[in-house]
Amino acid sequence: AGTVDRLRDDFLLSTDSLMNRAHENTVSRMLSLQATIEPIRDFKIDLTCTQNYSSREEYYYKYLSIEDQVEGPRSRMLTGSYTVTSWSATTAFTSPDELYARFLENRHIVAERLAASNPDTRCDEMVLDTMSGEYFPFGYSANQQTVLLTSFLATYLGTDAHNTKFSPFMGFPLPNWSINYTGLNKVQFLKKWFNNISLSHRYTSTYSIGNYYTDAAISGIRDYNYGQETVLNNTDDFIPPLSMEMLQISEQFNPLIRLSLSMTNSVQVNFSLQKNRTLALSFSNNQITETTRDGITFGGGYRFKDVAFDIKVMDEVKHLKSDIVLQLNLTYNSNKVNIRKINQNLSQITSGSEVWMAELSAEYALSTTLTLRFFFQTNINTPYISNSYPNSTTKGGITIRFRF
């Protein structure tokens, strides 16, 4: 508003009392960093950091005919979105029930910190929260947004609730990484057995706020900061400097570990573990939605070299000679959506299933352009919820692939 204030002071703003157009100030910041580290030969680490911040500020300057001057800024409103790479790996292998219990307990720590920093003497009073049945400081109940937000971040990012910042914005983005090592097959003892040995691991974690905004009740109040709030909502909780509907942490170990082997006798083996989760905190209905996916994949293959066939077409005999490639893939996935209703302290699995999949295939190249493939697939799905039924599908067949 600095530039517009100078225009106002120089009497350059419109004095039309009917003019009601907002001044807009849009900010967009994008940060993307990449680095590759190779501490030893064939051992590569790729690091990535990203941060996206956008905001849109609106306010009005209004001509007042009685005072014969332009007044503003008025009715200030800020909206925006935010995404940043983060670390949540320290809690990835902790029991979800244990994390949720820690989240509920962290609310007391955060509420007391906020009350201690607020000069309002009413914050010294402990009030019974009718939803949780526990006592919290005045203005910072179990459902107050800053209490929930800070407790959520402290719990699932693995930080100390006594020190976690109240602001929803983080500092510098933390790096995600991808690790690959392909040097084991160069070890003299392993050279005899393996043509290639590859190990890989990848981790990504992002923290995002889909939409934040300033509440109309605090519009125009300057220096309205966390722990210094002065305006209460209709439930006698302090309105935070920034309001929001939801925030989310999305984490993927994809893969947690992957091992790929190619042996000198034409055998190929692949093994991988995946572990993904998405944690969403909704302030509109005060609930946490946990979406998890854990997977194991095992694959094997063998190449029969130079397999010859004779096929009689009309009166002509065709001599075929190619490799037969066998592939076997076995996969297990556990997908689950668990909704935790904070007010009722109720946790419920709403969807998800265990899925077993198996696939066997064989390929044979009839020519440089024509490939014949036999396959068999089966899928067994066992739901976690009682109102869904187990089911399975099985299919098999022949595929002919022609390449121009």
Side-chain angles (χ1 to χ4, degrees), residues 179-376:
I179 301 174
N180 292 279
Y181 183 54
T182 57
L184 284 176
N185 59 296
K186 296 178 182 178
V187 177
Q188 194 63 35
F189 169 74
L190 299 175
K191 273 185 177 182
K192 178 181 177 181
W193 306 99
F194 299 97
N195 292 325
N196 180 63
I197 303 175
S198 174
L199 285 169
S200 59
H201 161 78
R202 187 168 183 262
Y203 177 77
T204 59
S205 178
T206 57
Y207 159 63
S208 59
I209 304 171
N211 179 50
Y212 63 84
Y213 58 93
T214 53
D215 194 289
I218 64 171
S219 175
I221 301 178
R222 295 184 178 275
D223 300 323
Y224 192 88
N225 298 317
Y226 293 97
Q228 307 290 321
E229 302 95 339
T230 56
V231 181
L232 297 171
N233 60 18
N234 56 5
T235 60
D236 282 341
D237 275 330
F238 284 115
I239 298 175
L242 288 176
S243 299
M244 59 197 70
E245 298 298 325
M246 188 185 73
L247 58 85
Q248 179 175 287
I249 297 172
S250 179
E251 179 183 62
Q252 294 183 336
F253 291 91
N254 193 17
L256 177 62
I257 186 170
R258 177 182 289 129
L259 173 65
S260 298
L261 303 175
S262 179
M263 304 181 69
T264 55
N265 61 357
S266 300
V267 172
Q268 293 182 333
V269 178
N270 297 287
F271 174 79
S272 67
L273 296 175
Q274 300 88 32
K275 186 173 182 65
N276 305 329
R277 64 173 176 168
T278 300
L279 305 160
L281 172 61
S282 171
F283 298 105
S284 59
N285 52 14
N286 293 330
Q287 72 179 26
I288 296 175
T289 303
E290 300 174 355
T291 305
T292 59
R293 181 179 182 273
D294 299 326
I296 302 174
T297 300
F298 173 81
Y302 186 76
R303 180 182 294 271
F304 294 92
K305 297 182 177 180
D306 299 329
V307 179
F309 289 100
D310 290 336
I311 298 179
K312 187 175 182 180
V313 180
M314 303 297 287
D315 294 329
E316 184 179 357
V317 177
K318 297 286 186 180
H319 301 283
L320 303 178
K321 187 176 183 181
S322 182
D323 296 347
I324 294 180
V325 181
L326 289 179
Q327 291 284 341
L328 173 65
N329 291 304
L330 302 173
T331 303
Y332 168 79
N333 287 316
S334 174
N335 308 301
K336 190 182 299 183
V337 177
N338 192 357
I339 292 181
R340 301 186 185 271
K341 299 181 179 180
I342 299 171
N343 291 339
Q344 293 82 15
N345 195 16
L346 175 67
S347 298
Q348 182 180 10
I349 297 175
T350 58
S351 64
S353 60
E354 286 186 331
V355 182
W356 289 91
M357 293 178 287
E359 180 179 7
L360 178 65
S361 66
E363 279 193 6
Y364 186 82
L366 299 175
S367 67
T368 56
T369 59
L370 192 63
T371 301
L372 188 65
R373 181 175 182 266
F374 297 87
F375 69 93
F376 173 83

Side-chain angles (χ1 to χ4, degrees), residues 76-215:
R76 186 188 298 267
M77 177 66 69
L78 178 69
T79 61
S81 62
Y82 179 73
T83 302
V84 65
T85 51
S86 60
W87 287 348
S88 49
T90 54
T91 63
F93 301 94
T94 306
S95 163
D97 292 337
E98 180 183 336
L99 287 173
Y100 180 64
R102 190 184 305 171
F103 161 76
L104 297 179
E105 186 60 33
N106 280 341
R107 294 181 302 170
H108 291 278
I109 299 173
V110 175
E112 290 169 7
R113 286 177 57 206
L114 286 163
S117 64
N118 197 318
D120 192 325
T121 56
R122 293 176 296 176
C123 296
D124 297 332
E125 178 186 355
M126 299 297 288
V127 180
L128 177 64
D129 186 279
T130 56
M131 291 291 184
S132 66
E134 300 173 304
Y135 284 89
F136 283 82
F138 175 85
Y140 299 107
S141 74
N143 290 324
Q144 199 269 345
Q145 181 183 286
T146 309
V147 172
L148 290 175
L149 183 149
T150 310
S151 302
F152 179 82
L153 294 181
T155 300
Y156 292 101
L157 295 182
T159 60
D160 188 348
H162 292 89
N163 303 316
T164 303
K165 296 191 306 180
F166 300 130
S167 170
F169 303 122
M170 298 184 180
F172 197 82
L174 298 175
N176 294 169
W177 59 82
S178 175
I179 301 174
N180 292 279
Y181 183 54
T182 57
L184 284 176
N185 59 296
K186 296 178 182 178
V187 177
Q188 194 63 35
F189 169 74
L190 299 175
K191 273 185 177 182
K192 178 181 177 181
W193 306 99
F194 299 97
N195 292 325
N196 180 63
I197 303 175
S198 174
L199 285 169
S200 59
H201 161 78
R202 187 168 183 262
Y203 177 77
T204 59
S205 178
T206 57
Y207 159 63
S208 59
I209 304 171
N211 179 50
Y212 63 84
Y213 58 93
T214 53
D215 194 289

Side-chain angles (χ1 to χ4, degrees), residues 359-398:
E359 180 179 7
L360 178 65
S361 66
E363 279 193 6
Y364 186 82
L366 299 175
S367 67
T368 56
T369 59
L370 192 63
T371 301
L372 188 65
R373 181 175 182 266
F374 297 87
F375 69 93
F376 173 83
Q377 298 175 348
T378 186
N379 183 316
I380 302 173
N381 189 317
T382 306
Y384 283 116
I385 54 177
S386 58
N387 59 357
S388 296
Y389 298 98
N391 60 83
S392 63
T393 59
T394 301
K395 60 182 179 180
I398 301 173

